[in-house]
Amino acid sequence: MPASEIPGISDLRKTFQACLLQAKTRNLKKDKEFFERAVHVAAQSEISVLCVEDYGTTGLIGPAVAGKPFHALVKSSGVSQKTDADAGGSFGIGKNAAFAISSLRTVFYSTLYAEGEGQERLTQGKSVLVSHDVDGGTHYRATGYWGNKEFMPAADDSMLPNWLKRQEVGTTVASIGFVGVPDWHWQMVEALVRNFFSAINSGAIHFTVQWETESLEISSEVLESLFDKKEVRDAAESAGTTDDLDFSKAMLCALKAADAE
């Protein structure tokens, strides 16, 4: 994305500079290395962004208050808001993955959900850095937010670039400064077929992985062939998940068997 289309990027750049100065002053090696890279990435005219978008869902129901899904994902730590206590991700820990793959430790959430007879939208950015001082005066906490005043999300489109505006009910999670290896898209495909083969096979879900000018549809029609695709096998070997991939393939064969129950 053009850096100019990332909300709050100028403030983020100042924050990274302040954090870097603090790391150098206190001789914090790991912090120094991280913020040197963050300063470099944030200064570019274009910044890599990984967007995960869902459709056919309810969206993140608001408002941004405790007990609502939007608040649980964006504001809370170790908290999830599931309809089923046994649902996957019930402890809200997996949401940290979006920050782990961001060289700026910054993520934007944009959601559109049904409310009464109409629809409501909420958009918020979140950075998880370190506590720091600015100009030797004001002290800031480690977690910062982009949105409206009082740390609340933006509730209309006027503050948003086009790429963050949802046109359909659902949610977009965007990791800013995406840290990607050359074959990241095949690692993504491998993880999706390995973990979601049952739901893909039944038609309950399908995925589209897009990169540069290419895209790959992951549906029940092509699922079986993807397990043997060279790029997927190579990705599994690189990630150390070959045995797990083979196990999922065996389970898919069992599901599709004529005498399966």
Side-chain angles (χ1 to χ4, degrees), residues 1-6 9 13 40-48:
M1 296 290 176
S4 59
E5 292 192 19
I6 296 176
I9 188 64
R13 287 167 174 163
H40 173 73
V41 172
Q44 303 303 306
S45 59
E46 292 187 339
I47 297 176
S48 296

Side-chain angles (χ1 to χ4, degrees), residues 186-243:
W186 290 115
Q187 292 191 10
M188 182 82 70
V189 172
E190 188 273 333
L192 292 173
V193 300
R194 171 166 47 85
N195 288 291
F196 295 97
F197 65 89
S198 180
I200 297 170
N201 179 64
S202 68
I205 192 171
H206 74 267
F207 298 93
T208 303
V209 179
Q210 296 178 323
W211 67 99
E212 297 174 352
T213 59
E214 300 183 64
S215 67
L216 176 69
E217 299 288 336
I218 305 176
S219 63
S220 57
E221 289 79 11
V222 300
L223 176 61
E224 199 165 6
S225 65
L226 287 175
F227 277 99
D228 295 317
K229 192 172 182 64
K230 182 182 184 300
E231 291 87 346
V232 174
R233 303 293 303 179
D234 289 345
E237 187 170 343
S238 175
T241 56
T242 301
D243 288 345

Side-chain angles (χ1 to χ4, degrees), residues 12 15-16 19 22 31 34-35 99 104-106 126-133 139-145 151:
L12 260 183
T15 298
F16 292 140
C19 291
Q22 174 176 278
D31 285 14
F34 171 79
F35 286 110
F99 292 92
L104 305 183
R105 292 295 187 272
T106 298
K126 181 177 181 180
S127 297
V128 181
L129 306 172
V130 296
S131 57
H132 58 282
D133 296 324
H139 184 72
Y140 290 91
R141 295 179 179 178
T143 301
Y145 292 95
F151 308 103

Side-chain angles (χ1 to χ4, degrees), residues 7-201:
I9 188 64
S10 59
D11 289 327
L12 260 183
R13 287 167 174 163
K14 295 175 184 177
T15 298
F16 292 140
Q17 290 285 2
C19 291
L20 176 58
L21 177 61
Q22 174 176 278
K24 289 179 176 179
T25 302
R26 298 181 181 179
N27 197 27
L28 302 173
K29 183 180 179 181
K30 287 186 177 180
D31 285 14
K32 178 176 174 291
E33 291 175 351
F34 171 79
F35 286 110
E36 283 178 339
R37 174 173 173 76
V39 166
H40 173 73
V41 172
Q44 303 303 306
S45 59
E46 292 187 339
I47 297 176
S48 296
V49 177
L50 177 69
C51 286
V52 180
E53 303 175 339
D54 66 35
Y55 298 88
T57 63
T58 62
L60 282 175
I61 306 299
V65 297
K68 292 293 187 177
F70 185 90
H71 186 277
L73 178 64
V74 181
K75 297 296 186 67
S76 302
S77 298
V79 173
S80 181
Q81 193 69 28
K82 303 283 186 176
T83 54
D84 181 356
D86 295 321
S90 291
F91 295 102
I93 296 171
K95 61 188 178 184
N96 293 326
F99 292 92
I101 59 173
S102 165
S103 60
L104 305 183
R105 292 295 187 272
T106 298
V107 176
F108 277 84
Y109 305 88
S110 182
T111 190
L112 182 66
Y113 62 94
E115 181 67 28
E117 297 296 319
Q119 296 178 333
E120 296 287 342
R121 62 181 72 247
L122 296 173
T123 305
Q124 187 141 45
K126 181 177 181 180
S127 297
V128 181
L129 306 172
V130 296
S131 57
H132 58 282
D133 296 324
V134 175
D135 298 327
T138 307
H139 184 72
Y140 290 91
R141 295 179 179 178
T143 301
Y145 292 95
W146 175 91
N148 281 330
K149 294 180 179 180
E150 303 300 325
F151 308 103
M152 297 302 289
D156 59 66
D157 280 352
S158 62
M159 299 169 63
L160 307 180
N162 288 331
W163 66 272
L164 265 179
K165 296 177 181 179
R166 292 284 312 195
Q167 303 302 321
E168 299 179 42
V169 170
T171 302
T172 295
V173 179
S175 293
I176 310 301
F178 172 52
V179 184
V181 294
D183 65 339
W184 68 266
H185 43 282
W186 290 115
Q187 292 191 10
M188 182 82 70
V189 172
E190 188 273 333
L192 292 173
V193 300
R194 171 166 47 85
N195 288 291
F196 295 97
F197 65 89
S198 180
I200 297 170
N201 179 64

